[in-house]
Each structure stands twice: as C-alpha cells, then as structure tokens.
Amino acid sequence: MRKKIAERMDVDADELEFADGSVRHGGTQTPLTGLTDGQEIVAEDSIEFGDFRTQEYLLSTFGAHFTEVAVHRATAEIRVRRMLAVCDAGRILNPLTARSQVIGAMTMGVGGALMEGMEVDQRRGFFVNHDLASYEVPIHADIPEQEVIFLEGATHTPRR
C-alpha cells in the first residue's frame, strides 16, 4: 500500500510517514482521503511463514476453557455463571478482536451444549423442534462473566 500511495504522490516510498490519517512527505501533510480522487487504491500482499512451514518446527495453538454452572435443584434450570478461556495462540495482533472472537465461540459453545437438540415425538415419529421458531440461541447476557487470557509468546516447539 505504501508503494501505491508513493506512486500516486510521485515520491519515494521510503520517505513517507503515516500518522493521524495523513501521509507526510518532506514539509507537506496530505489526508489519506485526499489521495484517492474518488478512485480505489488497491494493494495485495502475501505472508511467508519461514521455518514454521518446515519439518523442523511444530506450530500449534492451545486453549483451555473453564465454566461455572448452576443447576436449580427443583426445576433443573441451567445457568452458566461464568466462563474463562486461556489460550496460547501465538502473537495476538489485535487483542480486542481476538478476545471478541473467543467470547463469541464460548457463547456458541454454550448454545451447542445446552440448547441444541432434536426432540422427537416418540408416538408420531416426527421432530418437534423442526423450525427456527423454537430454536434458542444464547447471547452474551446469558453468561454474566466471560474472561479471556492470552498467554504470551507463540507455541513453536522443535519436532522430535
């Protein structure tokens, strides 16, 4: 993207500085929105994994989930009181997004474990819950406390 913007400005890409939604070159400062002239600036890139793609290293992510659940003695109503996820997922580039993804997965996991099921009428042999009207989906408010801990550093272990 830096090269594309430098081409637009007709300057050397190494001399550009990006800050506060603007690009600086020399003594000038131009808003990024001012560079488009109503046209897109498109750039593509790729990533090289280096040693992690070889047989020398094993690259994996790991996680553990802990859940506190309460069950009403008389009604058998289930309440998830709190959940904790501890993840070793390497270097997290965007902690807020990563945390949101894990919390979303935790909530979906609760739905899969506690709310999904195929109820069959044994006498008539048809599915009782065969439509989305009876399909309940948990939301974050159903789990009052959700916490995510990311362990520092990537898990890359030499293969044995």
Side-chain angles (χ1 to χ4, degrees), residues 38-113:
Q39 299 176 4
E40 292 181 336
I41 300 176
V42 179
E44 292 183 20
D45 202 358
S46 63
I47 186 168
E48 297 293 330
F49 289 98
D51 292 340
F52 295 123
R53 287 283 188 206
T54 68
Q55 295 299 316
E56 185 178 344
Y57 289 100
L58 170 67
L59 178 65
S60 301
T61 60
F62 300 93
H65 294 265
F66 305 90
T67 307
E68 181 181 313
V69 179
V71 180
H72 192 278
R73 219 177 258 176
T75 64
E77 180 183 22
I78 299 170
R79 293 280 183 201
V80 178
R81 290 187 175 163
R82 60 186 172 151
M83 294 182 77
L84 167 66
V86 180
C87 306
D88 180 357
R91 182 174 52 170
I92 303 297
L93 299 179
N94 187 332
L96 184 62
T97 300
R99 180 183 182 279
S100 294
Q101 286 181 323
V102 172
I103 285 177
M106 290 162 62
T107 304
M108 289 175 63
V110 167

Side-chain angles (χ1 to χ4, degrees), residues 87-92 149-155:
C87 306
D88 180 357
R91 182 174 52 170
I92 303 297
I149 297 172
F150 290 108
L151 300 178
E152 294 293 325
T155 301

Side-chain angles (χ1 to χ4, degrees), residues 128-139:
V128 177
N129 57 345
H130 62 280
D131 58 20
L132 290 176
S134 62
Y135 188 78
E136 294 185 23
V137 178
I139 58 173

